[in-house]
Amino acid sequence: MTTKWGICSAGMISHDFTVALKTLPPGDHQVVAVAARDLGRAQEFAKKHNIPKAYGNYEELAKDPEIDVVYVGNIHPCHLPVCLLYMNARKNVLCEKPFAMNSMEVQGLIASARENNVFLMEAVWTRFFPASREISRVLSQGEVGEVKVVRVEFGLPLLHVPRAVENELGGGALLDIGVYCLQFALMVFNGDRPESIQASGFCLDTGVDEAMVVTLTFSGNRIAVCICSIAVQLPNEALIVGTKGQIRIPRHMWCPTTLVVNGKETQYPLPEPSLPVNFPNSTGMRYEAEEVRQCLLKGLKESSRMSLADSALLMEVMDEARRQVGVWYSQDVPRDPYQ
C-alpha cells in the first residue's frame, strides 16, 4: 500500500522534504500533489519534482480524494489554520515545527485531530534519526547510568532572514531553532515535566528573541541547559552526562549522523539527495516520513516517538520561556500570558 502525500507550500523546507521522500521506495511513498498560494510556484515545484498535480490554493489540496497525508511546510503563523483546514477535510497531517504559535493553538490542533479522527504529528525530525533512536536505547539500557545533566546548543547567523526576525512571521531564536534544544532535553528525560523553567535572553527591535538560555530542572536533581541564537554560529553540540558515562552529538544536534557513546564514535550516513537541498542532512527527513507511514499502516493517530502530549509539553515550556524574556505574538492575544 502506497502512502500518498500532498505537499502544502512550495518553499525550501517542502523542497527538501520532497527530495527526502525520493530516497524511500516509490512503492511506499508517492507525492501526488502540491499546493501553494501562487499557482505558478506550485507548477514550478511540481515540474521540478515530477508531481502530477499542482494547486494554486490550499483548499483544492484539501479536496483531493487521492491524498492520504499532507505535509505542512509553510511559515509558523500559518500552521494552525492550514492544519485545521486539512484535518477538517479528514486528511492526516505532518506539520513542521513549531506545531503552532502557543499552547492554546496546539490544544486546538490536538482537539481537531481527535474530533476528526485523523493522524497528527509535529515534524520534529530529530527524534526519528537512527542516532536519536540509539540514544533512547542506550538510556533505557542504563549504559550511562542515571542522567543528571543535559547541555544542548543551537545557533546560526540568521539575522538576514526575514522569517527568522520578523514578529508577524513567527520569528525568534526559540521558535525557529531553540525548539530543537528543548525537545531534545525533554526526550532525554522521557517527557517528564520540569519542576522549574528559568529563561533569560534579549530581543531584537522587532520584538523577537535574538538569543535565549533556558534552564530546566527536574525531580531527582536533574538539569538541562539549552542555548539558542539566531545571531551567531554555535558548535551545535549536545551532551548527556550520566552517573556512569556520557553521550555526545559532536555536531548537527538537530539532525545527528554522528554519535559518541562512552568514547566510542558511530556514524549513521544518510543517502545522497537526487537534487540539491537547502539545509544540512535534509534527506534525514525520510525517517519522520517513514514513521508517519508506519503509524498509518497500524491505524495509529499519533506517534509514540513524538506524541501529541510531547508537543503540548514542549509548547508549554516555550510559552513560559517567552513570557520570561518578553516575546509576544499577536496570536497570544486571546489568552495573553503577559498581562
Side-chain angles (χ1 to χ4, degrees):
M1 174 182 171
T2 304
T3 300
K4 295 183 178 180
W5 291 84
I7 305 296
C8 174
S9 178
M12 292 192 297
I13 193 67
S14 294
H15 167 87
D16 285 14
F17 181 80
T18 305
V19 171
L21 284 177
K22 292 179 182 179
T23 68
L24 295 163
D28 291 348
H29 297 267
Q30 181 185 0
V31 178
V32 299
V34 59
R37 287 173 295 183
D38 176 80
L39 179 59
R41 289 196 66 204
Q43 290 172 332
E44 181 182 356
F45 190 99
K47 182 179 180 180
K48 179 181 292 185
H49 294 283
N50 297 314
I51 299 171
K53 290 176 281 189
Y55 298 124
N57 60 69
Y58 300 152
E59 290 77 12
E60 288 182 274
L61 187 68
K63 296 175 184 177
D64 190 326
E66 195 177 5
I67 293 169
D68 298 316
V69 56
V70 177
Y71 170 78
V72 174
N74 49 13
I75 60 173
H76 304 165
C78 293
H79 288 179
L80 176 67
V82 170
C83 288
L84 290 179
L85 169 68
Y86 293 122
M87 288 190 290
N88 287 335
R90 303 299 193 270
K91 303 297 186 190
N92 302 299
V93 171
L94 173 65
C95 178
E96 261 307 329
K97 60 79 207 165
F99 223 1
M101 295 299 294
N102 54 37
S103 291
M104 182 176 61
E105 291 196 346
V106 168
Q107 291 304 322
L109 288 175
I110 294 173
S112 178
R114 290 173 177 164
E115 179 182 350
N116 291 297
N117 195 33
V118 295
F119 176 88
L120 175 65
M121 189 177 86
E122 184 177 9
V124 180
W125 64 324
T126 312
R127 294 202 174 194
F128 305 98
F129 275 72
S132 294
R133 292 183 181 273
E134 177 63 9
I135 288 173
S136 296
R137 187 201 67 78
V138 169
L139 294 177
S140 67
Q141 296 293 318
E143 294 180 23
V144 296
E146 180 187 3
V147 176
K148 304 295 286 186
V149 176
V150 174
R151 188 187 72 212
V152 56
E153 58 191 30
F154 192 0
L156 296 172
L158 299 174
L159 295 179
H160 63 289
V161 180
R163 174 187 57 77
V165 300
E166 295 298 332
N167 188 286
E168 62 270 21
L169 299 181
L174 186 67
L175 282 193
D176 195 35
I177 59 179
V179 58
Y180 288 114
C181 301
L182 290 174
Q183 72 79 27
F184 185 86
L186 294 173
M187 179 189 75
V188 171
F189 289 130
N190 203 30
D192 288 356
R193 183 173 292 275
E195 291 188 336
S196 72
I197 301 166
Q198 294 179 305
S200 61
F202 40 85
C203 295
L204 300 169
D205 292 341
T206 58
V208 304
D209 51 307
E210 176 186 308
M212 195 180 294
V213 179
V214 183
T215 301
L216 309 176
T217 58
F218 298 83
S219 61
N221 298 328
R222 299 173 296 162
I223 193 167
V225 179
C226 303
I227 306 170
C228 60
S229 173
I230 54 173
V232 294
Q233 176 80 42
L234 294 175
N236 299 332
E237 298 181 345
L239 179 66
I240 303 168
V241 183
T243 54
K244 297 180 181 178
Q246 297 184 0
I247 303 171
R248 187 167 67 93
I249 299 174
R251 57 190 172 275
H252 293 135
M253 58 73 44
W254 74 102
C255 50
T257 55
T258 304
L259 193 63
V260 183
V261 179
N262 293 331
K264 180 182 178 181
E265 181 175 304
T266 304
Q267 300 287 333
Y268 299 88
L270 293 170
E272 290 296 316
S274 57
L275 291 170
V277 291
N278 300 292
F279 305 104
N281 293 348
S282 278
T283 55
M285 284 190 278
R286 70 199 305 267
Y287 301 119
E288 65 182 3
E290 182 60 21
E291 175 73 8
V292 171
R293 170 175 165 79
Q294 291 305 316
C295 288
L296 294 179
L297 290 175
K298 296 171 185 175
L300 301 176
K301 302 305 178 185
E302 59 183 296
S303 166
S304 60
R305 288 290 298 177
M306 189 65 202
S307 70
L308 298 179
D310 290 333
S311 292
L313 177 59
L314 176 59
M315 186 54 76
E316 286 179 34
V317 173
M318 290 200 291
D319 276 0
E320 176 59 21
R322 285 200 296 116
R323 186 193 68 80
Q324 292 183 24
V325 175
V327 180
W328 177 87
Y329 300 107
S330 61
Q331 291 82 2
D332 297 320
V333 169
R335 193 179 67 185
D336 187 357
Y338 312 109
Q339 295 292 327

